[in-house]
Amino acid sequence: MWPADIEESARRIVADFTERKLLLATAESCTAGLIAAAITEIAGSSIIFDRGFVTYSNEAKREMIGVANATLKAHGAVSRPTVLEMAQGAIGNSGANISVAVTGIAGPGGGSDDKPVGLVHLAAARTGQETLHREMRYGDIGRSAVRLATVRTALEMLVEIGKD
């Protein structure tokens, strides 16, 4: 179902998180659950996967994971402050101790000069650690390609933050 590199990354995460007793939650906007799907494609993932939040709308971001209305008004949905709150909110509204969050503009429309198609903000959080952030500018490479590239980057960030 998944490209081999994504499947291999997901397998590694499931194995590593099982060994380290880490429990994962996802908060996804532009990927709409693809990160959760990649992880849960792996047998045994139920040991490390608590839940996934698909927070496509601003209302969902506020209601499900506690993103502040002031943050959304000041910075917009596709921003560093929003994705950091999404990652923290995923932990705070679940039993997880690690999370990954993504928000972006997959296209083909919806971009602007400040926030072009292909702009994605990602964050990975872990209880007791500083939250990681990446701003990716994948470009206008097509909706599916932006979403798959985002899954790849999110999995890379989970490997990074999952290390002891």
Side-chain angles (χ1 to χ4, degrees), residues 10-25:
R11 280 188 197 288
R12 179 176 170 195
I13 289 164
V14 170
D16 289 349
F17 283 22
T18 299
E19 182 180 318
R20 292 183 173 88
K21 297 182 177 22
L22 295 173
L23 191 58
L24 172 64

Side-chain angles (χ1 to χ4, degrees), residues 20-109:
R20 292 183 173 88
K21 297 182 177 22
L22 295 173
L23 191 58
L24 172 64
T26 60
E28 302 181 61
S29 187
C30 64
T31 51
L34 291 176
I35 299 163
I39 294 288
T40 59
E41 182 73 15
I42 307 305
S45 59
S46 60
I47 294 168
I48 64 102
F49 190 80
D50 182 51
R51 68 191 74 188
F53 299 95
V54 176
T55 56
Y56 217 69
S57 70
N58 286 351
E59 184 177 348
K61 288 173 182 65
R62 286 190 303 266
E63 290 178 4
M64 295 173 70
I65 53 176
V67 175
N69 194 46
T71 301
L72 292 164
K73 282 188 175 185
H75 304 283
V78 180
S79 67
R80 182 180 194 274
T82 295
V83 82
L84 292 174
E85 287 188 25
M86 289 172 67
Q88 289 298 323
I91 289 175
N93 290 281
S94 72
N97 52 13
I98 198 164
S99 71
V100 68
V102 300
T103 183
I105 304 165

